[in-house]
Amino acid sequence: MKSLDLRGLVPACVTPFTESGDVDHEALAVHGRWLAGLPGVKGIVCNGHAGEGASMTETERGDVVKTLVDAVEGKQPIITGVISDGSRVAGEEAKRYGEAGAAGVLLYPAHSWLRFGFQPGAAADRYRIVGEISGLPQILFQYPDVTKASYNLTEQLKIAELDSVFAIKNGVRNMRRWDTEVPVLRKEFPDLQILTCHDEYLLHTMFDVDGALVGYGALAPEGMWELLQAGKRRDYPAARAVHDRLLPLTKAVYHRGSHMEGSVALKLGLVQRGVIPNAYVRSPLLPLAPEADDEVAAALAHAGLGKVL
């Protein structure tokens, strides 16, 4: 199966909404075109956590794919999150997104696994089924270690054996596991693209990866690309300098009570940068306290990130 080259920056875009709660496709297209034209960007992920994918219907998610595909005009592949619990259902969902123009799939664990865990081999079977039904290349989505849907190394290796799996979005958020498991994946599958999604732990992970698949890349792609390049050069002082410049923004976006509040803060920042017209979100997300807007604005100024549109 043909894979994608995501060795670079892969922003996970937000989904703009209107005041009435509908998807704002015009604003989404602007967001996608901006990201697609930036240095270092190798693809765009939609319908993920940053994009509030689980808050939309399958039809809406398919329309998001189509809007972005039309907007970028072939400049970048559009990869979509697939969230259905049942593996066959997820496969059919992915197939429909492929018909809408998606070039690849970021496959979520079955939601039930977050609470109850999964049987050995079940995750690999899920990826096999979705790949066979959809015909699309897939990214292994490694959830945080604190959840019961985080795949142990044995399961990761089984998934990586599949022809449809070409990359891993590793968000394990346990540096002991990162430091011991990533080298094994590298050794066993040299062509598997390792992508960090540690928005709030980027400095540590940036030296071991082929790319970064991060929601942060939708707001601060310039800084993320600079950090990724420094990591690839093994230039720790340069990477540290970028990290420190971005740290107030990292805190304003991700160091909150819930990581999901970062999706709201991303929108606040994108409004400030002139990319989207408002920061409306869908339930179960809620607006942040009024002072969050000032915090994000000050952090963007510290990072040297101003209006772009």
Side-chain angles (χ1 to χ4, degrees):
M1 182 178 291
K2 184 179 179 182
S3 68
L4 304 171
D5 180 6
L6 301 183
R7 297 175 179 89
L9 179 62
V10 187
C13 70
V14 305
T15 303
F17 296 113
T18 65
E19 187 175 7
S20 62
D22 297 322
V23 176
D24 187 337
H25 288 278
E26 182 178 350
L28 177 64
V30 170
H31 187 24
R33 280 193 293 269
W34 173 58
L35 292 173
L38 292 171
V41 172
K42 300 300 291 288
I44 299 171
V45 168
C46 62
N47 296 325
H49 288 125
E52 301 173 68
S55 299
M56 293 186 285
T57 67
E58 183 183 324
T59 298
E60 287 177 318
R61 292 193 293 270
D63 290 342
V64 163
V65 169
K66 188 176 187 308
T67 291
L68 287 169
V69 169
D70 291 345
V72 305
E73 297 179 323
K75 291 180 181 177
Q76 303 290 350
I78 302 301
I79 300 127
T80 180
V82 171
I83 64 175
S84 293
D85 221 42
S87 298
R88 286 186 62 181
V89 178
E92 294 293 342
E93 180 184 350
K95 182 179 179 180
R96 286 188 283 273
Y97 297 155
E99 292 167 353
V105 165
L106 174 66
L107 182 60
Y108 282 57
H111 181 77
S112 55
W113 294 349
L114 290 167
R115 180 179 179 188
F116 299 111
F118 56 91
Q119 299 163 279
D125 195 50
R126 176 173 171 82
Y127 278 86
R128 177 188 62 80
I129 291 169
V130 172
E132 288 176 354
I133 293 175
S134 70
L136 292 174
Q138 300 179 92
I139 300 171
L140 193 172
F141 196 170
Q142 173 67 317
Y143 261 36
D145 185 57
V146 296
T147 74
K148 292 186 178 182
S150 186
Y151 307 136
N152 60 33
L153 181 57
T154 299
E155 198 75 24
Q156 292 176 69
L157 292 170
K158 288 179 181 179
I159 297 169
E161 286 179 350
L162 298 169
D163 289 340
S164 61
V165 176
F166 71 96
I168 175 171
K169 175 184 177 180
N170 192 320
V172 69
R173 288 170 170 79
N174 176 331
M175 296 303 104
R176 182 175 63 185
R177 289 189 61 189
W178 175 276
D179 289 339
T180 56
E181 293 176 359
V182 167
V184 177
L185 289 165
R186 284 272 191 223
K187 179 181 178 182
E188 297 298 321
F189 299 99
D191 295 330
L192 183 73
Q193 297 170 46
I194 309 291
L195 311 174
T196 181
C197 73
H198 292 80
D199 303 84
E200 69 277 52
Y201 301 113
L202 287 168
L203 183 62
H204 182 101
T205 61
M206 201 56 76
F207 294 90
D208 299 313
V209 296
D210 300 297
L213 197 172
V214 285
Y216 212 163
L219 172 61
E222 306 95 332
M224 291 297 96
W225 176 230
E226 189 179 353
L227 184 56
L228 182 60
Q229 287 179 296
K232 286 179 177 292
R233 296 194 308 268
R234 298 291 193 271
D235 187 344
Y236 180 81
R240 182 79 209 197
V242 178
H243 169 271
D244 290 351
R245 191 173 75 237
L246 290 173
L247 186 56
L249 185 61
T250 306
K251 291 179 176 180
V253 174
Y254 291 109
H255 294 185
R256 295 187 171 274
S258 163
H259 184 79
M260 288 309 299
E261 291 182 87
S263 298
V264 193
L266 286 175
K267 287 187 170 181
L268 292 176
L270 285 166
V271 171
Q272 304 238 4
R273 301 203 72 189
V275 178
I276 62 175
N278 59 67
Y280 297 130
V281 293
R282 272 191 181 176
S283 180
L285 288 181
L286 297 171
L288 299 181
E291 58 267 23
D293 201 40
D294 292 335
E295 294 169 2
V296 172
L300 283 168
H302 184 274
L305 297 172
K307 283 190 177 293
V308 292
L309 296 177

